[in-house]
Amino acid sequence: MIWEGMDRRKFPRVMYPCMVKVISSDGIQPQILTHTENMGQGGLCVTLKNEINLFTLVELEVDLLGIEEHIFPKGKVVWNVRRKSIEKIKPMFYDIGFEFTEISKRDHDCLRETLQLLINKGTPLSKPYI
């Protein structure tokens, strides 16, 4: 499904599937293991079976696959959209957008370098899809 709104991202997103652990900051919800649909310097998108409410604060563990250690940004849900049942891929799932609210300099630099390598390799940039 194509996003019909205006793309207001500050950072380009790269289509790169890597593993992500989503941990609710309140500790009440169980941890969720999923993968990215796309990611950028300011956040990432994942697909989940269940919705996460807007503005929910989370801790993320992202396996960039090209480095030895994972990165651990904190974030919040800035959008969530339920896919339509007519979608061919993962119908009735939710696309969840996280904005990074806190990220260490080490993790920020690591993410920036990884994204630049992917762009240099010709990894497609994400269009404003949901």
Side-chain angles (χ1 to χ4, degrees), residues 50-87:
N50 297 308
E51 179 179 22
I52 300 178
N53 292 329
L54 283 175
F55 311 117
T56 298
L57 299 176
V58 297
E59 296 176 19
L60 302 165
E61 180 178 344
V62 183
D63 180 357
L64 295 176
L65 303 177
I67 61 170
E68 304 258 340
E69 297 180 42
H70 298 179
I71 63 170
F72 300 88
K74 292 183 180 180
K76 70 178 174 182
V77 175
V78 290
W79 55 266
N80 62 43
V81 176
R82 186 174 181 182
R83 293 183 177 199
K84 294 182 180 176
S85 60
I86 60 172
E87 294 288 323

